[in-house]
Amino acid sequence: MTRELNLTDIQGNVTRAYGRYSFPFARYFFFHIEDPAAGRAFVDEVRKKVTTAARWGEDLPRPDCTTNIAFTFMGLWMLELPVRTLQGMPDVFAEGMKARAFVLGDRDQTQTQKEAEEEDWDAKWDPLWQDNREAGSGGKNDVHLWVSLNAQLAEPFGMNPHPELEERTKWLMGLCDDKGVRLLARNGPKGDQPYQDASAVFDDLDGAVVPTPKEHFGFTDGIGNPVFEGQYPKEAEKVAVIGRGKRMGKGWEPLATGEFILGHPDESQELPPTSMPPEFMHNGTFFAYRKLHENVGSFNEVLEEEAEAYAATMGVGKEQARETLMASMCGRWSDGVPMALVPTYDEWIKFGQERRFRGEGVEPLEGYKNQLTYIASPEASDFRFADDMAGLKCPGGAHLRRVNTRDYMDPLNAFGVDQKTGTQPANKNAATALNKRRRILRRGLPYGGPAWEEKTDKTEQGVIMIIMGTSLFRQFEFVQQQWIQYGLDFHQGNNTCPLLGNHDHHKRHTIPADPSTGKPTYVMSKLKTFVECRGGDYFFVPSMTALRMIAMGIVDPT
């Protein structure tokens, strides 16, 4: 039975990813509250334009520009929420992301806190985030409020956002003053940007400039967001849930709402812990905002060197070696096709030709549209790992297997490979019970220039990651610490995620070979740290009811 949610009380960025194609532009603003009364007045003005989760259609047209708002713990404190309400907030939210750097792997985990501080461990962070929660600063530059604007294209082709984005920006910045609510205009590596700009990676397809589903390394991204109860209408849910929900005895089912929205039962059939009063956190959630810089130069250099070695070892061409290594690091081929379904290069080439992603007679724009249709379909997400425990199809340490383990963790799964045929035992009844409490909603967009611009480690590009869930600790932090920055659950020892992991000390990624092919296992051994955090914090996303309570100053925990 589908859970009915009060969608008009939930902020819209919780139930939907505004996305690279529907809303390919975003601006993220950060504010500091100088005066609590002015802060409440600011919230009151913004909440009137907040985009809710109400479904778009004839009665409610899709907006040209969306608006959403969230708060850090210190922001709630500056808005004078009652002590009892603040005391009920999760510890990790109260600490903030900077204080959790050791757990997250954002600083050298071989150093003590004192050693890290002496080496100025956050020196690469944007000035905005270096100043945030800085010890001894008195909190004068702390981030208190986050406001996001997401906009559609002004026309079908090109890189121009809808004019409403600029109008909404002027309106939002006009609400600020230095005495009440101050805009923290210290974004970017030089601290000279009024907001964090983000957009899809645009590409020119024979004169048609379009937003792509790529990030700056060249991977197709953002495919497998989880589906939860009440997120979609009943009929739409039946399709959306395939490969993106939880695999149970009767097939795919949506995840429990309480994994992502407070005030509803989660997968343990319990209500997630909340502060008093209960209605304040009901229909709200938390997210981690992370600016992740991509070292494109280092990535290409390593891939070039490893591709030469792989080509010589396997007796294949350079292009095949490069594509295979990229897919083996990610778990998907560069167009988003999962290795679990299409494990070899030759099969992938054939698949792309059959689906008309590319090949003779396929125009670039046609291939682009066909690829978008595919990655939005259940087929791109409907696969499992229990039938590939040895990682012969998709390497065990690949990024995809780490961030969504699917049925890999079922304790009844069996290892073993027939050396002649390469077949593996498959637990047909494998379920996702040990994975369904570690799922995260992913929001955000890339930042940086279009695909045709040259990029190095020093140019400004990456991904704004907004990672949502009702438990920052159990969902985001667990995945980041145990599955991204560690490999034991995947039989990878200390090897970290080949894409997102820190590779200062552990530089390997193992690509098993099917024994029936007679080819050897290949070990990438020259990995560098390709993704670096440049700042961020933890935020609470209130419901519309809670926003009204905050604005009126009537949060009563008694």
Side-chain angles (χ1 to χ4, degrees):
M1 180 178 178
T2 302
R3 180 176 296 274
E4 294 291 335
L5 301 178
N6 182 1
L7 297 175
T8 58
D9 192 45
I10 300 168
Q11 291 202 49
N13 57 344
V14 179
T15 59
R16 59 172 73 93
Y18 294 132
R20 292 165 171 74
Y21 352 107
S22 297
F23 292 83
F25 304 96
R27 291 176 180 175
Y28 303 112
F29 299 81
F30 303 93
F31 300 92
H32 178 86
I33 300 169
E34 298 284 357
D35 175 72
R40 290 191 289 271
F42 179 89
V43 173
D44 193 41
E45 289 300 313
V46 173
R47 75 170 182 86
K48 296 172 185 176
K49 291 186 181 291
V50 165
T51 306
T52 73
R55 293 179 181 127
W56 299 327
E58 292 183 5
D59 296 332
L60 182 65
R62 183 189 300 262
D64 298 319
C65 181
T66 66
T67 303
N68 293 102
I69 185 171
F71 304 81
T72 62
F73 178 83
M74 296 308 299
L76 296 176
W77 183 80
M78 277 301 298
L79 287 165
E80 299 183 327
L81 263 68
V83 171
R84 188 181 178 196
T85 300
L86 294 175
Q87 287 178 330
M89 291 287 179
D91 294 346
V92 297
F93 171 64
E95 286 185 79
M97 199 182 82
K98 181 181 281 188
R100 307 292 291 174
F102 177 82
V103 172
L104 301 175
D106 290 341
R107 69 171 179 83
D108 192 336
Q109 293 174 314
T110 67
Q111 294 181 326
T112 64
Q113 178 73 28
K114 182 178 180 180
E115 290 171 336
E117 289 174 354
E118 288 175 350
E119 291 192 9
D120 199 13
W121 67 269
D122 62 350
K124 289 186 177 182
W125 284 26
D126 287 0
L128 170 75
W129 300 113
Q130 291 184 43
D131 294 345
N132 183 46
R133 303 290 288 265
E134 183 68 14
S137 69
K140 63 182 180 180
N141 288 311
D142 284 359
V143 172
H144 293 153
L145 285 164
W146 169 95
V147 176
S148 68
L149 304 180
N150 287 72
Q152 297 194 61
L153 282 161
E155 57 275 322
F157 300 109
M159 295 176 58
N160 297 319
H162 194 283
E164 179 62 23
L165 177 61
E166 190 60 34
E167 291 300 314
R168 194 70 59 93
T169 296
K170 292 177 181 177
W171 163 79
L172 182 63
M173 295 176 71
L175 297 178
C176 304
D177 64 69
D178 291 340
K179 296 181 180 179
V181 176
R182 177 163 50 92
L183 175 67
L184 295 171
R186 285 175 58 74
N187 289 279
K190 296 181 180 179
D192 57 354
Q193 299 171 16
Y195 48 79
Q196 176 62 58
D197 217 349
S199 74
V201 178
F202 283 78
D203 204 356
D204 189 333
L205 305 180
D206 282 355
V209 176
V210 295
T212 74
K214 302 274 189 179
E215 47 69 64
H216 296 286
F217 292 144
F219 295 105
T220 298
D221 199 16
I223 298 175
N225 257 316
V227 171
F228 58 87
E229 292 177 310
Q231 184 179 9
Y232 291 93
K234 186 175 181 180
E235 290 304 312
E237 181 186 274
K238 292 179 181 178
V239 177
V241 75
I242 298 172
R244 296 165 57 197
K246 56 186 178 185
R247 184 189 286 273
M248 306 299 286
K250 297 181 181 180
W252 290 103
E253 298 178 10
L255 290 151
T257 307
E259 292 296 312
F260 308 106
I261 302 179
L262 295 161
H264 302 271
D266 59 23
E267 284 294 336
S268 69
Q269 297 305 303
E270 296 178 345
L271 295 177
T274 58
S275 295
M276 299 297 287
E279 58 268 27
F280 176 72
M281 297 185 74
H282 184 77
N283 283 337
T285 192
F286 294 98
F287 70 73
Y289 175 98
R290 290 172 67 76
K291 181 179 181 180
L292 300 180
H293 174 79
E294 293 183 322
N295 290 316
V296 175
S298 291
F299 181 81
N300 288 331
E301 288 171 9
V302 169
L303 201 58
E304 182 74 15
E305 185 176 357
E306 292 280 7
E308 286 187 10
Y310 184 89
T313 302
M314 300 298 180
V316 299
K318 187 75 173 290
E319 180 61 27
Q320 178 174 344
R322 181 183 174 88
E323 284 287 351
T324 302
L325 288 177
M326 283 186 66
S328 298
M329 295 169 74
C330 176
R332 291 184 185 270
W333 296 93
S334 57
D335 55 9
V337 176
M339 294 191 84
L341 297 177
V342 184
T344 69
Y345 178 80
D346 290 340
E347 290 174 304
W348 173 64
I349 292 294
K350 181 180 179 182
F351 185 91
Q353 292 170 343
E354 291 175 345
R355 300 304 177 94
R356 298 184 65 79
F357 297 166
R358 55 188 169 270
E360 187 176 351
V362 180
E363 296 296 327
L365 192 58
E366 179 193 356
Y368 162 81
K369 292 178 179 178
N370 291 338
Q371 184 199 4
L372 293 188
T373 299
Y374 171 76
I375 63 176
S377 73
E379 187 180 1
S381 299
D382 189 11
F383 57 89
R384 49 202 306 236
F385 294 133
D387 61 351
D388 184 31
M389 297 298 291
L392 302 186
K393 293 189 290 185
C394 176
H399 171 74
L400 185 64
R401 296 186 75 143
R402 291 171 180 265
V403 294
N404 181 4
T405 62
R406 298 178 181 265
D407 55 1
Y408 174 78
M409 295 289 187
D410 192 302
L412 297 182
N413 290 344
F415 282 86
V417 180
D418 187 302
Q419 296 299 307
K420 293 183 179 180
T421 65
T423 57
Q424 305 177 65
N427 176 11
K428 296 181 179 180
N429 297 317
T432 58
L434 296 182
N435 176 56
K436 61 187 181 181
R437 303 221 67 202
R438 309 295 185 190
R439 301 300 305 278
I440 53 176
L441 290 174
R442 180 176 163 188
R443 305 292 184 250
L445 280 168
Y447 66 92
W452 58 81
E453 287 188 359
E454 182 180 357
K455 299 177 179 68
T456 68
D457 290 0
K458 294 183 179 180
T459 53
E460 176 76 348
Q461 70 277 321
V463 176
I464 299 299
M465 288 282 285
I466 297 172
I467 304 161
M468 287 187 176
T470 52
S471 173
L472 290 163
F473 178 76
R474 172 173 53 80
Q475 292 164 290
F476 163 62
E477 288 198 345
F478 180 93
V479 172
Q480 176 70 16
Q481 182 189 41
Q482 295 296 321
W483 291 350
I484 297 296
Q485 300 290 9
Y486 196 44
L488 199 58
D489 281 344
F490 310 97
H491 302 273
Q492 303 297 309
N494 287 328
N495 290 347
T496 64
C497 174
L499 294 180
L500 296 186
N502 186 311
H503 297 128
D504 291 344
H505 304 286
H506 306 290
K507 306 176 185 295
R508 296 178 300 174
H509 173 56
T510 302
I511 305 173
D514 185 334
S516 65
T517 65
K519 299 290 181 70
T521 290
Y522 184 82
V523 179
M524 299 180 73
S525 59
K526 300 178 175 63
L527 298 182
K528 297 180 181 179
T529 299
F530 302 128
V531 175
E532 298 177 332
C533 183
R534 293 292 166 87
D537 209 342
Y538 292 159
F539 290 85
F540 172 60
V541 186
S543 66
M544 299 304 294
T545 298
L547 284 175
R548 190 175 298 108
M549 294 169 71
I550 292 171
M552 295 177 69
I554 56 167
V555 179
D556 184 0
T558 58

